[in-house]
């Protein structure tokens, strides 16, 4: 994964509502994605569509990811999907610690267990961190540090090449109160902070995971966030369900 220049992840959440529509969006995204030499596209649909799309991802330019995975690979866990099941079905990425799952009660410890099991199974982990709100004293900095260090507890240096960190402030996610992307200067500031936390933990000479931004990304703000936020990629929710908008975001990332 380290050779990939930019990475754009589509987080479809619980959409679209039927396979026919999902196939239409996936095919539309794939058409653009396979033409771009500078970008890796990862589409994360609901679990139920993964089997349909994984076989369509033979090219290195597009892959499928899951929106979650459980912390164990087998056992009596009603309703859960294991990292191994995903891997065996051609899934290569998994989003973990998304704020919408944290809001359902997932703790840092549970997320860390999922991170470690997914890495052990050979999946690329997309670990999300982000504060719920900002305060004038900057308490969101130690909050992010805490989420990062908890999520990466007992994760060794050798696993870093299979990890992506997504900084996604909860208040910036479309549909949440506010729902405004943050300024690229603020994104840049947080990128530097995250790199500092990671290099303090893993050493300054370690090659660190790529850092992505998520939260109300659209074709209008993508370039500014990329260039001035100095990030390696994006996690896109709402706009990733719109073939045209997402295609534009991919093309913007490709030319930067
Ligand atoms: P958004 O969602 O792009 O619709 O804000 C991003 C996410 O929640 O991953």
């Amino acid at each position: 994964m380290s050779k990939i220049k930019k990475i754009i992840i589509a987080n479809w959440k619980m959409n679209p509502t039927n396979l026919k529509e999902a196939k239409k969006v996936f095919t539309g995204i794939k058409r653009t994605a396979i033409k771009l030499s500078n970008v890796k596209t990862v589409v994360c649909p609901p679990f139920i569509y993964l089997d349909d799309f994984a076989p369509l991802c033979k090219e290195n330019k597009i892959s499928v990811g899951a929106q979650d995975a459980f912390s164990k690979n087998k056992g009596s866990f009603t309703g859960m999907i294991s990292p191994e099941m995903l891997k065996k079905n051609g899934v290569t990425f998994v989003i973990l610690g998304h704020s919408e799952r944290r809001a359902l009660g997932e703790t840092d410890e549970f997320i860390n267990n999922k991170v470690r099991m997914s890495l052990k199974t050979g999946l690329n982990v997309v670990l999300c961190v982000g504060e719920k709100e900002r305060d004038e004293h900057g308490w969101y900095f130690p909050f992010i540090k805490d989420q990062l260090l908890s999520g990466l507890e007992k994760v060794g240096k050798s696993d870093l090449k299979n990890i992506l960190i997504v900084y996604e402030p909860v208040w910036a996610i479309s549909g949440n109160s506010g729902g405004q992307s943050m300024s690229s200067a603020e994104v840049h500031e947080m990128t530097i902070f995250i790199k500092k936390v990671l290099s303090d933990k893993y050493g300054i000479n370690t090659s660190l995971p790529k850092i992505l931004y998520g939260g109300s990304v659209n074709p209008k703000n993508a370039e500014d966030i990329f260039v001035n936020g100095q990030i390696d990629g994006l996690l896109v929710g709402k706009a990733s369900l719109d073939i045209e908008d997402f295609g534009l975001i991919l093309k913007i990332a490709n030319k930067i």
Side-chain angles (χ1 to χ4, degrees), residues 84-103:
E84 203 167 276
M85 288 169 180
L86 295 171
K87 180 98 196 296
K88 282 189 178 150
N89 284 283
V91 175
T92 45
F93 286 77
V94 59
I95 300 174
L96 296 173
H98 190 281
S99 60
E100 286 156 14
R101 296 215 54 93
R102 291 181 191 262

Side-chain angles (χ1 to χ4, degrees), residues 11 13 98 100 168 173-174 215-217 235-238:
N11 178 13
K13 309 191 179 184
H98 190 281
E100 286 156 14
E168 186 167 74
I173 294 176
S174 67
S216 296
V217 175
L235 177 63
V236 187
K238 196 166 163 222

Side-chain angles (χ1 to χ4, degrees), residues 30-42:
K30 186 178 168 185
R31 206 174 299 132
T32 305
I34 55 172
K35 289 188 204 132
L36 309 177
S37 52
N38 248 339
V39 171
K40 163 100 178 169
T41 304
V42 181

Side-chain angles (χ1 to χ4, degrees), residues 45-183:
F47 285 123
I48 198 149
Y49 305 142
L50 284 168
D51 254 8
D52 287 277
F53 300 154
L56 308 177
C57 294
K58 300 273 182 270
E59 301 87 353
N60 197 28
K61 289 179 184 165
I62 184 162
S63 300
V64 280
Q67 296 172 19
D68 189 32
F70 193 51
S71 57
K72 299 210 176 353
N73 267 337
K74 62 175 183 188
S76 306
F77 302 104
T78 304
M80 297 305 181
I81 304 280
S82 73
E84 203 167 276
M85 288 169 180
L86 295 171
K87 180 98 196 296
K88 282 189 178 150
N89 284 283
V91 175
T92 45
F93 286 77
V94 59
I95 300 174
L96 296 173
H98 190 281
S99 60
E100 286 156 14
R101 296 215 54 93
R102 291 181 191 262
L104 295 173
E106 291 195 2
T107 62
D108 281 325
E109 190 187 354
F110 186 40
I111 293 164
N112 175 249
N113 287 335
K114 293 173 175 214
V115 167
R116 286 190 289 140
M117 186 52 83
S118 292
L119 288 169
K120 196 171 157 202
T121 309
L123 295 174
N124 293 304
V125 165
V126 181
L127 175 63
C128 300
V129 296
E131 77 278 3
K132 286 203 191 86
E133 55 193 11
R134 289 218 148 184
D135 60 284
E136 59 189 44
H137 305 293
W139 284 112
Y140 48 90
F141 283 109
F143 180 84
I144 295 296
K145 179 176 177 181
D146 212 52
Q147 272 193 341
L148 271 172
L149 294 181
S150 313
L152 295 172
E153 206 175 315
K154 298 192 199 134
V155 171
K157 254 190 210 185
S158 61
D159 278 323
L160 294 184
K161 60 184 182 312
N162 298 114
I163 297 178
L164 300 167
I165 303 290
V166 181
Y167 172 58
E168 186 167 74
V170 183
W171 50 269
I173 294 176
S174 67
N176 288 354
S177 64
Q180 290 277 320
S181 75
M182 67 197 303
S183 76

